[in-house]
Each structure stands twice: as C-alpha cells, then as structure tokens.
Amino acid sequence: MSTAISDSTPLSPRWRQAVILVMIFGFSLLIWITAKTYTGAPPIPARVIGSAGQVLFTGEEVKDGQEVFLKYGLMEHGTLWGHGAYLGPDYTAEYLHRLAEIGRDSLAQAHYGKAFKELGEGQALEIGARLKTLIKQNRYDAGANTLRFTDVEADSYRIQTGEWTTYFSGEKAAVGLPTKFIQDEQELKHLTAYFAWATWATVAPRPEKDYSYTNNWPYEPLVGNGPTASTYLWSAMSLITLLGGLGLILFIFGKFNYLGWGGAAGWKHAQEGRLQAWTLTPSQKAVGLFFAVVALLFLGQAALGGVLAHYRVEPGGFYGFDLARFLPYNLARTWHLQLAIFWIATAWVGGGLFLAPLVGGGEPKGQKAGVLVLLGALAIVVFGSLFGEMAGINNKLGSLWFWLGHQGSEYLDLGRFWQILLAAGLVFWLFLMFRALRPAMKGTEQGELPSLFFYAAIAIPLFYVPALFYGPRTNFAVIDNWRFWIIHLWVEGFFELFATVLVAVMFYQLGLVTSKSATRLVYLDAILYLGGGIVGIGHHWYFTGQGTLNMGLAASFSAMEVIPLTLLTLDAWDFIRLQDRNCAECDRPLAAKQRWAIKFLIAVGVWNFVGAGVFGFLINLPIVSYFEVGTTLTANHGHAAMFGVFGMLALAVLVFCLREIKGDLAWGKVEKFIRLGFWGLNIGLGLMVVLDLFPGGVIQLWDVLSNGYWHARRLAFLMGGTFHTLEWVRIAADMIFLLLGAVPIAYATLRLVFSREGGDTT
C-alpha cells in the first residue's frame, strides 16, 4: 500500500544532498574522461613522409586544413567521424573508401600488371588481404613525431588531392554548394591533408591495441574495419543497466505515490497562487517583446527547415532556381540549427524574467530598462552572428573568420566574439534574475523554490563556458569533446533542468501544486536527469578519438538516461490531471486560463518519451551507433527530441506568459490560432517521423550494413529508390508543420504582443 506524506512537513535535506552527490560523482567521471581525451586523441605528427622519406605534408598543414574545414562550414555540409550534416559525404568514410579502391588497383598493378577488376577471384582475395595488412598498421613514430605512409597511402593522397580539388572548386558544384566554392589551391591541398590524417586515425591501431583511434569506425569491409568486441559487449551491458534501473525506479514510484507533479491534493482557495491578484510590473510587460522575437526566429527556423528538406530531393536547384548560389546548404543548415537554439533559449530566458518578479514579490528599480538592454544585446548577437557566418563561409573576413564568421563546429557555429557576447548577455540576465528573486530567497513562504530558481539559472551561463575552451587548431577529438559539453550538457541537461524549475514555478503560482511538491519534483528530476546525463554525454564520443573506457561508461550511463524519459509518460498523465484540478472550496478549475500551456506540456511528456527515450536509446547503443551515426536515424531523434521536447517546452512558456500578460479580450481573438498551431505542429512533426525520418533512417541503416557506410552517405543513394521517394512524401508533413503550425503560432504571438487590448507590452 502506498504511503502518503503530509505536504505540511518540511522537505528532507537528503534531497538536496542527493543532488550534490550525483553532481560530484558525475562530474568527477566526466572530467576524468575529458582529461583522457587530451592524452588519447589521435596524434598530429610534425611530418607525414613517404616510404622513401620524402615529406608529403606537415602537421601544420593538417591544422591549416582543419581551419579550411571549419571556416567554410563543411561540418554543416557533410560529416567527419560521423558528426555533422547529412547532405554531403562523410569525408573520412569517402576518403577511406577511395583509399581502398586506389590501393587495390595499385597492388594489382604491382603484383599482376593489371587492374583489380580484371583479377580472378583468388587473386582479388589475395590483393584484398594484402591491402588490409598494409592499411591496418600504425607507422607513427612518437619519438620522431613522424608518420610514415606506405606507397599505397601516398598514391592515394596525391590522387585524392586532385579529386577533392575538383569536388570543391570544379565547374560542377558539390551537392548543395556553389560552383568553385573553395578556389585557393593551397587551401584545397591542406584540406586533403586534413582528410588524410583524419582517415588514418580511423584505421591505424592504437598503440598496443587491436582497434583504431576511432574504435574501427567507419564500417569499411575493404580495409577490415568492423565493430570491436567492446562495441558488442557494452551494448549488451547497457541493456542490463537499463532494465535494472527501470525496475528500481518503478518500485520507488510505486511505493511513494506522492512523487511527480500530482503532489498533495486539496489545494485551498485561500492558498491560490499570486497570479490571481497580481498586477503586472513594467518589466513583465516588456518581456512580451522577447516572445515577439521568439515568434520571428521560430518562423525563420521552420522555413529554413523546409529549404534543407528540399535540398534532399532536388539538390541541384529549388524548382529550377539556383538556390545554392545565394543560400548554400551549409549556410541554411547553420542558420536552421542556430535559430533553433536562439528562439528556444530566448523563450526560456523571457519566461525567467517574467516569473522572477512574481516569485520575488515585487520589481527592483530599473528592471524594465535592464530587460530592454538585454533584448538589444540579444538582437546584436543574433543578427551579428548570422551575417558573420554568411561572410565567413564566403571567405570575406580574412583572418577574423574564427572570431566574427563561421566557427565551423555544428551547433556552435557562431564566431568566438559572438559567443563571448552571448555569455556576457547570459551573465547580465542572471544579474536581473538575482535582483528580482533576492527578497523571496531570504523568506520562508515559498520554501527553497526561489533559491532553486536562481541556482538553476546560474547553470546556464556557467555551463556555456566550455564553448570557449578550444581553438581552430585544437585536435578535432578535443573540439568534439567540448562541443558536446555544450550540446548535451548545456542544452539537454541544465537548460532542461532550468525549464523544469520554470514549470514548477508556473504551477506553484497557478495554485496547482504546493511549494514542497514543486521543490521535491525539481530535486527528483535533477537526480534522474543528471544521474545518467552527465556521464551519458559520452555516447557522442564512441568513435571520435576516445578509447573503450568512455564507451563502457557512456553506454551504461546513457542507458540510464532513458529511465526518467520513460517516467515522462507519467508526467503527461499528471499534466492531464492538473489541468482539471479544482479549487477545494469554490470548485472551479484552477488552470482553466492556462489550458493551452498545459497542453503543450502534455506534448512535451509524449515527445520526450518517443523522441528522446525510444529514438534516442535506439541510436545510443554502441553497436547501433556504429552503423547509423550520421544517418537519417540521427536526424529522426534530433527532430523528435529537439523540437518535440525543447521546442514544445519553449512554446509552453510563451503561451503561459502571454496569457498572463494579455487580457481575456485579446486572448479570445487569437486562441483559435493557438489551437490550430498546437495541432499543426504535433501532427506535422508526427508525420515527419512516420512518413520519412524513421523509415528512411531504417532504409539507410540497412544500406550501411549491406554496402558499407560510404555507400549510404553518397548522393547516388540519397537521390534514388524508396529513400528518395520518402523524402518527397515528407513535403506534406513539412507543409502542415509550417503553414498550420508555425505560422498560426507566430501570428498569434505577434498579434498578442503588439495588441493594445487587455494589456500593454511596451
């Protein structure tokens, strides 16, 4: 029988202690793994020489090539070690396959005097075995800091220098890029040297190991690259971790029925939240302008998503128009991803600014001016970085490309100057939050909730700092390590935790939950999310220069990330019950005014389970990730989780705040658009997954297994067969999402913000 706990008793300090212990344990392991990345990353030799001792290229040229790769935003065109965009090839997989083809022909000519395709079956098998023996050796001399290429590797480098030069600078444009995109011959030579080094790391065994620096990724049977024993082992062990963790957590939830958003029932009329009698402050009215920015950025991001989808069906043009000349794929994808982060973060920042005076009980002097200054800084970062990226990939910024242009790392594309400005803006936002929350943090009426609100806000600027820990010449394995500290830990970890606190404060102010229930749920979510999520970040590093230590830890902890996502189905039911909760005295629905905000939160619970839980776990298993990373199954998880969870959360905050800012008259005129947008977004996203992203991803995964990773990433595969048909079919889902989802939401938001009925946002 479940044990009920009175909500009037103080919350045990063990909740707070448990969160602290989880963070200490998780970050200790994560810092250890990160430190080992520096020592275990594939070495960049001072010189790469041929069999006769001639210098083919230098380590400085490899680093120069990485700068070319980053400056022109090529990670937003194709992938390197499986990470990046999905229209272009994986540069390492493509280079490796060409190395195998060139090597077989070279060996066949040397031993039999004819091309490989002219050999008999026995001769072909012999040449294939010789090739594997040659390639799967590590000829790096650490003492001399020199890497020796075989004649086969040297020939491949010379031939591929010409091929990659033609690919990026030829009369026939690379898919999704303008013709003659990169014209400097030295840059192209250095870029090929970079690809050659990155590819060497995929096949050269680590010292005293039988697997490469990338754990034998990519799958390439011609050179003997296949899954390691650790990849199979830790896939199985992660399943055991998942099942054990699920059993334990379900037992706990079964025993303690007060966990979750339900909290204690019987909320009294006299205890209703401040919102019932609250008068909006000047800064709260000004926050409406943040949501106008959210609407415009969201609309632009959704439109760019349609552009990217069309590139996948008609890469040579947009219904006959040469779109790549003005908006190439790599720029469109850069803006698509960056705008997603901008509009979602802006909604949460705006939500924090709206709720802080409410929680603090009043507005500090000058708060409105601070809010408007922050809005101006946001505009500078958004538009400055967008135009900087466009100038950067067109080589218009010279040596300032890294600072003002396109930094080149997926999701962290904005130049370093804009990153620093963004970090400064977040610190200023934290200052505004503190001065509004400080009175409540000293009081006891709301318990620990105001302090938790502020502590969660601290994590936002604090955990953005790792974005500044690398430069354009840092080893790519190290760059990718810090990059995912931001993508996974900042966006998916602490920003989501801050959003949880936002929701808790919203519900408390509505009178739907008590302070104790809200505080307990914040602690519970912190334990569950961070318990698996901090170390689970390593599932992105299975094949990017990390060893098997990371694979073992990441696979196990990443499996535990699914546990709280499974419980989000319970969250969805809690939200459904909360929207119908009545005042115990006057028997009226407490949340009737905010029913659409709660519906968006219900959608969050569903998409978190489906997108982050089911689809995320599918690709997080090391053995699945080995074959599918960088395929449409990754995009399937990304769309369902990024928008389905974080996007829906942001829209829930937007709807909540605007509903409180504007009166019934103004809201009544736009509610039908909110309703239409809610269903349009959910149906459109669902159809994207069902019609294209999931089945297309499965088809592409099958092609990887059948023909090798390189084959499933080539344009010939993307533009043919059922896979290409599904990409065309997706247009129906995209149109529903854009026209019946994003447009109505944006229209309703802008009309509410700038309407003079029922309130004033300025």
Side-chain angles (χ1 to χ4, degrees), residues 2-287:
S2 298
T3 304
I5 302 294
S6 170
D7 212 71
S8 61
T9 59
L11 189 65
S12 170
R14 292 182 180 178
W15 285 99
R16 180 171 59 255
Q17 294 163 3
V19 172
I20 293 172
L21 289 174
V22 164
M23 292 184 66
I24 291 174
F25 176 75
F27 277 108
S28 297
L29 288 178
L30 184 60
I31 292 170
W32 181 34
I33 292 170
T34 298
K36 291 184 74 65
T37 303
Y38 281 85
T39 58
I44 300 177
R47 296 172 306 282
V48 177
I49 61 176
S51 59
Q54 75 279 20
V55 176
L56 299 175
F57 53 88
T58 68
E60 290 304 306
E61 289 177 317
V62 170
K63 295 176 183 178
D64 289 341
Q66 179 170 286
E67 289 198 3
V68 175
F69 175 76
L70 298 174
K71 177 173 69 174
Y72 289 102
L74 297 182
M75 198 178 185
E76 296 290 13
H77 174 254
T79 54
L80 191 113
W81 293 346
H83 291 287
Y86 314 120
L87 184 64
D90 181 273
Y91 303 110
T92 41
E94 184 66 26
Y95 189 103
L96 180 59
H97 186 71
R98 287 294 294 132
L99 168 62
E101 292 178 329
I102 294 167
R104 290 190 308 179
D105 280 335
S106 177
L107 292 173
Q109 287 290 349
H111 288 81
Y112 296 107
K114 49 187 175 180
F116 179 80
K117 65 181 180 181
E118 298 172 353
L119 299 180
E121 183 178 351
Q123 294 173 327
L125 289 174
E126 179 190 350
I127 292 299
R130 284 178 178 271
L131 177 67
K132 292 176 184 178
T133 301
L134 279 175
I135 298 299
K136 300 290 284 186
Q137 292 186 37
N138 191 341
R139 297 179 178 83
Y140 172 67
D141 183 344
N145 197 14
T146 299
L147 172 62
R148 184 180 296 274
F149 270 7
T150 63
D151 289 338
V152 164
E153 292 169 310
D155 288 344
S156 174
Y157 167 68
R158 283 189 286 267
I159 292 171
Q160 292 206 58
T161 297
E163 293 176 347
W164 287 108
T165 297
T166 300
Y167 183 79
F168 287 112
S169 68
E171 294 294 335
K172 182 180 179 181
V175 56
L177 299 178
T179 56
K180 300 182 179 180
F181 183 54
I182 305 175
Q183 300 181 38
D184 188 295
E185 291 185 5
Q186 280 296 104
E187 286 189 332
L188 290 164
K189 180 178 180 294
H190 296 160
L191 181 62
T192 307
Y194 180 59
F195 291 164
W197 166 80
T199 302
W200 165 80
T202 67
V203 288
R206 284 182 177 273
E208 301 181 0
K209 303 294 182 182
D210 61 353
Y211 50 83
S212 74
Y213 291 98
T214 60
N215 289 313
N216 287 359
W217 189 93
Y219 178 53
E220 179 50 86
L222 294 184
V223 298
N225 256 19
T228 64
S230 295
T231 305
Y232 288 107
L233 171 65
W234 290 112
S235 297
M237 295 301 292
S238 68
L239 291 173
I240 294 174
T241 305
L242 171 64
L243 294 174
L246 274 176
L248 176 62
I249 204 68
L250 290 175
F251 171 80
I252 293 173
F253 265 70
K255 179 174 177 59
F256 304 107
N257 66 348
Y258 55 85
L259 298 176
W261 287 106
W267 201 234
K268 301 295 184 182
H269 179 78
Q271 294 174 308
E272 287 179 9
R274 299 173 186 267
L275 279 171
Q276 302 299 326
W278 181 259
T279 301
L280 291 178
T281 67
S283 75
Q284 287 180 309
K285 296 176 183 178
V287 164

Side-chain angles (χ1 to χ4, degrees), residues 353-413:
L353 292 173
F354 177 82
L355 288 171
L358 190 62
V359 174
E363 177 161 313
K365 185 178 180 181
Q367 186 80 349
K368 178 182 177 181
V371 167
L372 294 177
V373 168
L374 184 61
L375 182 65
L378 171 67
I380 293 172
V381 171
V382 170
F383 293 106
S385 62
L386 294 179
F387 284 110
E389 286 153 355
M390 181 172 63
I393 69 165
N394 285 291
N395 201 21
K396 302 295 185 183
L397 296 175
S399 60
L400 294 177
W401 66 269
F402 183 77
W403 284 90
L404 298 177
H406 199 301
Q407 193 177 134
S409 292
E410 183 193 28
Y411 283 100
L412 295 177
D413 303 284

Side-chain angles (χ1 to χ4, degrees), residues 374 377 381 418-430 461 464:
L374 184 61
V381 171
W418 309 113
Q419 282 187 322
I420 293 173
L421 196 59
L422 175 61
L426 290 173
V427 171
F428 182 62
W429 167 73
L430 183 63
Y464 189 71

Side-chain angles (χ1 to χ4, degrees), residues 285-306:
K285 296 176 183 178
V287 164
L289 295 173
F290 277 76
F291 296 112
V293 172
V294 169
L296 294 173
L297 296 183
F298 174 39
L299 198 58
Q301 190 247 342
L304 285 166

